[in-house]
Amino acid sequence: MRIAAFYFDGIPSKIFRLRFYLLYTVTEKRNEVEMELYTLDHAIEKAIREKSTSPQVWNDILQTFSSQQQQQQQQQQTPSTTKPPPASKKAIRQLPTVTVTPEDLVDENNRECCICLDE
């Protein structure tokens, strides 16, 4: 893999385009090389532009970003374990049942449901 920077006036800090090249040999023809050309993600391009005077770190930036992307994709695919599981049917059956009588509603404070806050 290669990252190529195109810049103005021979000044590396004036990059106007970055491209990512993937080079590989064709297995059946060992003397041929094929190339795929890609544009870079905006975040990668920004990081590379900030280090434009140090091309030797560009591949490290690309690999770091690629690793971060893979981790984010794995996290998105992995169900979150931070939420508590739903109550079991047994636990729900064991909850007490309260019967509200007209006498209970005499007190103004008892006229709202403490769960849903409706009358």
Side-chain angles (χ1 to χ4, degrees):
M1 77 178 150
R2 297 285 183 260
I3 299 174
F6 302 90
Y7 46 86
F8 292 110
D9 302 326
I11 303 170
S13 61
K14 291 187 171 184
I15 295 173
F16 69 90
R17 179 181 303 137
L18 288 162
R19 294 291 182 260
F20 171 71
Y21 294 88
L22 183 61
L23 304 168
Y24 53 93
T25 58
V26 180
T27 53
E28 51 291 339
K29 299 178 183 179
R30 298 210 182 266
N31 59 346
E32 284 187 25
V33 175
E34 290 197 10
M35 175 182 70
E36 293 178 12
L37 173 65
Y38 301 93
T39 57
L40 294 173
D41 181 274
H42 178 70
I44 296 174
E45 190 166 329
K46 180 181 176 188
I48 289 175
R49 285 177 188 273
E50 290 171 358
K51 304 282 185 181
S52 64
T53 58
S54 305
Q56 62 272 18
V57 299
W58 292 357
N59 281 332
D60 293 338
I61 292 169
L62 183 63
Q63 289 173 354
T64 300
F65 185 84
S66 179
S67 296
Q68 290 172 348
Q69 289 291 93
Q70 288 174 354
Q71 289 173 355
Q72 288 175 354
Q73 288 173 351
Q74 288 173 351
Q75 288 173 352
Q76 289 171 352
Q77 293 171 353
T78 304
S80 175
T81 57
T82 58
K83 296 179 183 178
S88 68
K89 291 181 180 181
K90 180 180 177 183
I92 293 172
R93 283 193 306 268
Q94 290 176 344
L95 290 172
T97 302
V98 177
T99 304
V100 179
T101 64
E103 291 82 29
D104 293 325
L105 299 177
V106 171
D107 184 355
E108 187 69 33
N109 293 328
N110 290 338
R111 290 192 181 183
E112 280 189 349
C113 174
C114 64
I115 304 300
C116 61
L117 300 176
D118 285 337
E119 288 189 28

